[in-house]
Amino acid sequence: SRVTSSAWRADTSGTQQRLYAVACLSALRCEAVGAAGTIVSTGDGGTAWRPQANPLQGSSKILYRIACVAPSSCYVIARPDTILVTHDGGATWSSHVLSLAGAGTSLTSRACPPGPVGAVSGQLCRLGLLDIACVSASICYAVATGPAGYFYSPIPVPGQAGRPNAIWMTRDGGASWTRQPIPPGVGCVEGDCGSELFPYPLEWVSCLSTGLCRAGGGYFVGGNSGIMFRVTEDGGAT
């Protein structure tokens, strides 16, 4: 069918805070997240949006990404290190802090280290927790990256603690989160394959209800960019 511009309309969010992401539980019920711990929700398809109380409301935390699974579960990335979870459509939220090395506490453009991880004025550093996706209401994956994930330097010891990227998984609806085993680095950079491994960032993750998930991010070497993919089809076992 043909879609015209009349299929879209502008709605008032009810907040002056910058909003970063939105996800829906149904055709009518959606949640949007943003700066200063902001969550706004609609139950009428976007005609009206209302503030939703949560543990980080009014704080300096940036709510950056959200994933929802019907009928009533949503997971929110609060950068750099926190995940908010609801299983009652936002009536109550729980907060879970993950241990992330090198993420830092300030994510503004002025706090970005130099190089590819740096952001232009007004944007955020791509550090800490960056994305989240769910297989079901109880199984979700979150990805995180530290500064070293963006720079061209070999990993001294493969698999060492504090490596710059991470995939975290929950199997119990967000009550607990486990860091998943992933390849510590890549061996080929711009066609130059050798024994050395190089770090890479993980900036996004996407999952299907079948259990298939992919995660990746931009890999910068000498001004060029590529995408590194990591795939699981067995619930994160590999």
Side-chain angles (χ1 to χ4, degrees), residues 55-136:
L56 300 177
Q57 187 174 23
S59 72
S60 61
K61 288 283 190 179
I62 294 171
L63 306 190
Y64 189 65
R65 292 289 183 265
I66 180 170
C68 291
V69 180
S72 56
S73 297
C74 290
Y75 295 75
V76 174
I77 290 293
R79 295 184 64 188
D81 59 1
T82 304
I83 297 177
L84 296 178
V85 181
T86 182
H87 292 295
D88 54 16
T92 59
W93 292 84
S94 59
S95 179
H96 308 268
V97 179
L98 304 185
S99 177
L100 304 178
T105 58
S106 180
L107 300 171
T108 64
S109 57
R110 285 179 291 182
C112 291
V117 70
V120 298
S121 177
Q123 293 186 348
L124 302 173
C125 293
R126 294 167 299 181
L127 298 174
L129 289 167
L130 292 174
D131 201 10
I132 191 164
C134 296
V135 173
S136 66

Side-chain angles (χ1 to χ4, degrees), residues 170-218:
T170 181
R171 293 180 179 271
D172 54 13
S176 62
W177 294 83
T178 304
R179 188 165 179 162
Q180 298 295 289
I182 58 174
V186 293
C188 295
V189 178
E190 293 185 328
D192 183 12
C193 299
S195 60
E196 293 180 319
L197 294 177
F198 296 84
Y200 56 89
L202 290 176
E203 300 172 309
W204 58 262
V205 61
S206 178
C207 292
L208 300 175
S209 59
T210 59
L212 172 64
C213 293
R214 295 181 174 91

